[in-house]
């Protein structure tokens, strides 16, 4: 009976994984098909160039460039997620999380001088991990803050030790996410800023990449409403056994 139960659980887990993979492939195919359709249309238009004046050709080329860039970002994000999913190597870098956060804060203060920032960063906090991936994790978080919140909205950044390990907590004063997202989580390719067009937006994989990097480091990431009413991201990494 125990063996039958084990096999049933294993088959159910495999079925769920297969279903998630099919959904992911379907979403990725849809996202790639959209820019391809636009590119095809403008290529056909340029092929009939006698119908376009100089301004018309420039607009067509600009749209082609935009859609090609969008496809490049999407493919890059898909490849990065695939790399994280397949990576079995050990985490060997001594990552100074304090320094990485300070670098991001310095950049943010320079780019958004009107933003009020509360920071409480414990110095010399290290974890054992993958340095480039940790840099990308924090770069994604702060890039989203600049992209989705007003330049003068407040922000708090905390880094400290808790019982579970090393905790990063970043909360902004932007619009936040829909309430149901905090309850059921973020889906692949999900966008939240309806004021931005798909052309100027990202791949919709930003938070998925962040979650994958956190999972690679055996950490946990939670999204909730910040005390400013925007989004708070809390990440906890376990301390190294070494």
């Amino acid at each position: 009976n125990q063996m039958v139960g084990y096999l049933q659980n294993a088959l159910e887990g495999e079925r769920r994984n297969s279903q998630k993979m099919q959904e992911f492939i379907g979403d990725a195919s849809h996202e790639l098909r959209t820019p391809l359709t636009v590119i095809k249309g403008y290529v056909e238009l340029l092929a009939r160039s006698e119908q376009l004046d100089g301004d018309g050709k420039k607009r067509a080329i600009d749209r082609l460039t935009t859609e090609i860039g969008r496809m490049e970002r999407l493919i890059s994000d898909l490849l990065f997620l695939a790399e994280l999913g397949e990576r079995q190597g050990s985490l060997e870098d001594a990552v100074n999380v304090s320094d990485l956060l300070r670098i991001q804060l310095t950049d943010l203060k320079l780019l958004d001088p009107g933003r009020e920032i509360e920071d409480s960063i414990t110095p010399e906090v290290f974890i054992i991990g993958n340095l480039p991936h940790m840099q990308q994790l924090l770069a994604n978080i702060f890039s989203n803050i600049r992209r989705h919140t007003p330049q003068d909205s407040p922000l708090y950044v905390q880094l400290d030790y808790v019982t579970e390990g090393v905790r990063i907590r970043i909360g902004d004063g932007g619009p936040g996410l829909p309430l149901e997202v905090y309850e059921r989580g973020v889906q692949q390719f999900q966008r939240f800023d309806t004021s931005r067009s798909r052309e100027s937006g990202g791949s919709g994989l930003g938070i998925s990449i962040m979650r994958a990097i956190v999972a690679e480091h055996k950490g946990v990431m939670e999204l909730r409403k910040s005390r400013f009413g925007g989004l708070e991201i809390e990440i906890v990494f376990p301390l190294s056994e070494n």
Side-chain angles (χ1 to χ4, degrees):
N1 287 338
Q2 288 179 340
M3 179 63 72
V4 170
Y6 172 78
L7 290 174
Q8 287 177 335
N9 290 336
L11 288 172
E12 180 63 22
E14 184 65 25
R15 186 192 66 79
R16 288 195 299 269
N17 289 337
S18 177
Q19 181 178 355
K20 287 181 179 179
M21 178 59 70
Q22 290 299 321
E23 291 173 355
F24 180 80
I25 292 172
D27 288 342
S29 299
H30 174 75
E31 291 293 320
L32 286 169
R33 189 179 298 116
T34 303
L36 280 173
T37 301
V38 176
I39 290 171
K40 180 181 178 182
Y42 276 96
V43 168
E44 292 174 351
L45 182 61
L46 287 171
R48 303 190 301 272
S49 57
E50 68 277 359
Q51 301 178 11
L52 295 174
D53 57 17
D55 289 341
K57 289 181 181 179
K58 183 179 183 304
R59 285 194 298 271
I61 292 173
D62 287 345
R63 287 291 288 118
L64 283 172
T65 302
T66 298
E67 291 301 319
I68 290 170
R70 180 180 160 198
M71 285 190 65
E72 288 176 340
R73 290 191 298 273
L74 175 58
I75 291 170
S76 176
D77 286 348
L78 287 170
L79 290 174
F80 186 77
L81 280 173
E83 174 196 345
L84 286 175
E86 295 176 358
R87 189 173 188 273
Q88 301 296 325
S90 59
L91 304 173
E92 299 177 345
D93 298 329
V95 180
N96 190 327
V97 184
S98 306
D99 281 356
L100 294 185
L101 277 172
R102 285 292 181 196
I103 290 170
Q104 291 296 330
L105 279 174
T106 298
D107 292 344
L108 186 63
K109 290 174 181 178
L110 179 65
L111 296 170
D112 292 347
R115 190 186 296 271
E116 180 182 345
I117 301 176
E118 303 174 15
D119 63 273
S120 175
I121 298 177
T122 301
E124 300 301 309
V125 174
F126 284 85
I127 66 170
I128 301 301
N130 181 297
L131 177 58
H133 290 181
M134 285 295 296
Q135 290 171 325
Q136 177 155 0
L137 169 65
L138 295 178
N140 280 13
I141 292 174
F142 282 85
S143 175
N144 284 339
I145 290 170
R146 293 204 67 239
R147 184 183 298 172
H148 299 300
T149 69
Q151 292 185 348
D152 59 351
S153 63
L155 178 75
Y156 57 87
V157 179
Q158 300 170 357
L159 172 66
D160 55 11
Y161 290 105
V162 292
T163 304
E164 297 81 6
V166 172
R167 180 179 64 184
I168 301 171
R169 183 177 286 169
I170 302 172
D172 63 56
L177 302 179
L179 290 177
E180 61 269 17
V181 174
Y182 300 127
E183 299 174 357
R184 62 181 176 82
V186 177
Q187 307 302 307
Q188 301 278 19
F189 301 99
Q190 188 171 3
R191 296 176 177 84
F192 308 103
D193 188 350
T194 57
S195 66
R196 295 188 304 127
S197 67
R198 295 173 68 90
E199 289 76 15
S200 63
S203 66
L205 290 172
I207 294 182
S208 296
I209 288 175
M210 288 157 53
R211 284 193 182 281
I213 294 174
V214 171
E216 176 193 27
H217 290 77
K218 306 298 187 293
V220 177
M221 183 172 81
E222 294 185 9
L223 307 178
R224 62 174 69 95
K225 187 176 286 294
S226 76
R227 56 184 170 87
F228 294 139
L231 171 65
E232 178 181 288
I233 299 176
E234 180 179 283
I235 302 171
V236 177
F237 296 111
L239 290 174
S240 170
E241 296 180 357
N242 297 328

